[in-house]
Amino acid sequence: MPLQTKLPKVGTTIFTVMSQMAMQHQAVNLGQGFPDFPVPEFLVDALSRAMRDGKNQYAPMTGIPALREAIAAKTAACYGHAACPESEVTVTSGASEAIFNAVLAVVRPGDEVIVLDPCYDCYEPAIDLAGGVCVHVPLDPVDFSVDWNRLQAAVTAKTRMIFINTPHNPSGALWSADDMQRLIALTDDTDILLLSDEVYEHIVFGGVRHESALRYPELAKRSFVISSFGKTYHCTGWKIGYCIAPKALSAEFRKVHQYNTFCSFAPAQWAFAEMIMQQPEHYAELGTFYEAKRDYLAAKLTHTRFKALPVPGGYFQLVDYSAISDLPDADFARWLCTEKGVAAIPLSPFYETPPAGQRLVRLCFAKNSDTLDAAIARLERV
């Protein structure tokens, strides 16, 4: 029988496409954002111990209490926000599940949801499945800062939610304290909700603080704040994240979560609870750890024809290839992988309408030095 798709714009994600291409052509994969170095040994030991101790059955729907309490304690220490672990913290199967839960919980058919392009590719499908209308507002094409005039103009009586993402994927741009104050002014005296994607919250460089929505009571009261243990602890395959939201928003969020995944990998939850409480230095020092990798790759790129853009946070490096080719970014990424042996991610899939003439691709520097050196050796020959 004929089938009308609910997601007509969606095909295979660019991350899957480029990773498969990298495998096929034995390219160095700096495309998909996953570390290729070990998970902290303490965390692996805690996971193994949890499994041996029999903690292998369903976790509570909202997450094991010890983990929710650890998340709340960390949130208070980092951002001064006292989240109730019982009613305001929910553990999910990765940040992507949390994004879908939040949107499906509060967005109704016809509601408008603003996203800032370039944006992560799961945002719009979640909005589409909820029956919402995705409104794309472009960031500045040079430094990826918010164009507040355009954002203000995009807000209408139908605006239900605004997505923000800091540190930003793919650019690494950060929201400033002034940005957060302008967001407060924009949403004050409205019913607009926020989804704050903060999965790279601890990967911020130069001593700058991460401006979480949880730092600002005026924003926290209307926000789903979403984070990811996979990004913080180098274990993207474990797929554990969480959402912090006020009690009323969390109640709606949990209604979706309980019929989506219900609960997430139990042994890992016990392990993360131990890791957060016993080794807080890991997340506290994560920015310094990745800053060294950023600087290492950037220094090596000076020996190539690629131009590295500034990276304030996150673990991605945007590079301008306009000195090498006039190909559109998707074509260039395909050529770079198949002909030169390095997989990168083009920026155009992150946009509704990519800027004319933009010649940028994204490289992931969450890799060990051998991987980065192998990639650079090939890029030097481009």
Side-chain angles (χ1 to χ4, degrees), residues 81 177 180-194 212-225 246 249:
H81 177 79
M180 303 309 273
Q181 292 297 335
R182 296 187 76 163
L183 186 60
I184 290 169
L186 180 67
T187 56
D188 191 35
D189 294 326
T190 74
D191 293 325
I192 295 172
L193 301 175
L194 301 175
S212 173
L214 296 173
R215 292 188 186 275
Y216 300 88
E218 305 94 329
L219 299 179
K221 71 181 183 181
R222 63 176 76 244
S223 293
F224 298 94
V225 177
L249 293 182

Side-chain angles (χ1 to χ4, degrees), residues 17 45 49 52 60 82 84 157 180 216 224 269 281 302 338 371:
V17 169
D45 290 343
R49 185 169 57 254
R52 288 196 306 269
C84 173
M180 303 309 273
Y216 300 88
F224 298 94
Q269 294 193 45
E281 64 275 11
T302 61
T338 59
T371 302

Side-chain angles (χ1 to χ4, degrees), residues 158-355:
K158 293 183 178 180
T159 302
R160 178 59 168 163
M161 178 180 277
I162 299 172
F163 276 52
I164 69 172
N165 174 210
T166 183
H168 179 244
N169 178 13
S171 74
L174 304 177
W175 280 51
S176 66
D178 180 64
D179 287 324
M180 303 309 273
Q181 292 297 335
R182 296 187 76 163
L183 186 60
I184 290 169
L186 180 67
T187 56
D188 191 35
D189 294 326
T190 74
D191 293 325
I192 295 172
L193 301 175
L194 301 175
L195 190 149
S196 188
D197 178 352
E198 302 183 17
V199 300
Y200 301 99
E201 61 182 314
H202 298 299
I203 310 177
V204 178
F205 308 137
V208 178
R209 78 175 193 176
H210 167 57
E211 295 296 336
S212 173
L214 296 173
R215 292 188 186 275
Y216 300 88
E218 305 94 329
L219 299 179
K221 71 181 183 181
R222 63 176 76 244
S223 293
F224 298 94
V225 177
I226 293 168
S227 197
S228 165
F229 290 121
K231 302 299 190 298
T232 300
Y233 294 107
H234 320 319
C235 52
T236 59
W238 293 17
K239 290 297 290 181
I240 304 288
Y242 60 90
C243 176
I244 297 176
K247 182 177 180 179
L249 293 182
S250 287
E252 296 305 307
F253 179 96
R254 290 171 174 183
K255 290 178 183 179
V256 178
H257 169 65
Q258 71 178 344
Y259 292 114
N260 187 356
T261 60
F262 180 76
C263 66
S264 301
F265 182 37
Q269 294 193 45
W270 289 98
F272 286 129
E274 285 192 41
M275 185 76 187
I276 292 170
M277 298 307 294
Q278 296 188 37
Q279 295 208 345
E281 64 275 11
H282 176 88
Y283 65 77
E285 296 169 359
L286 198 63
T288 301
F289 173 79
Y290 274 117
E291 189 167 5
K293 289 187 174 294
R294 177 202 66 174
D295 293 347
Y296 184 84
L297 178 61
K300 296 285 187 177
L301 286 168
T302 61
H303 302 293
T304 74
R305 292 195 290 163
F306 293 89
K307 177 184 176 183
L309 274 59
V311 182
Y315 57 43
F316 300 112
Q317 172 70 67
L318 293 187
V319 293
D320 186 321
Y321 64 85
S322 57
I324 300 167
S325 173
D326 288 329
L327 286 172
D329 62 355
D331 293 338
F332 180 80
R334 187 176 300 107
W335 173 82
L336 186 66
C337 184
T338 59
E339 301 298 325
K340 300 301 179 179
V342 178
I345 297 294
L347 250 62
S348 54
F350 293 82
Y351 286 92
E352 179 184 49
T353 305

Side-chain angles (χ1 to χ4, degrees), residues 29 34 43 49 71 75 87 121 210 214 217 248 290 299 303 338 376:
N29 190 355
F34 59 85
L43 187 60
R49 185 169 57 254
I71 291 168
T75 299
S87 62
D121 67 346
H210 167 57
L214 296 173
Y290 274 117
H303 302 293
T338 59
I376 288 294

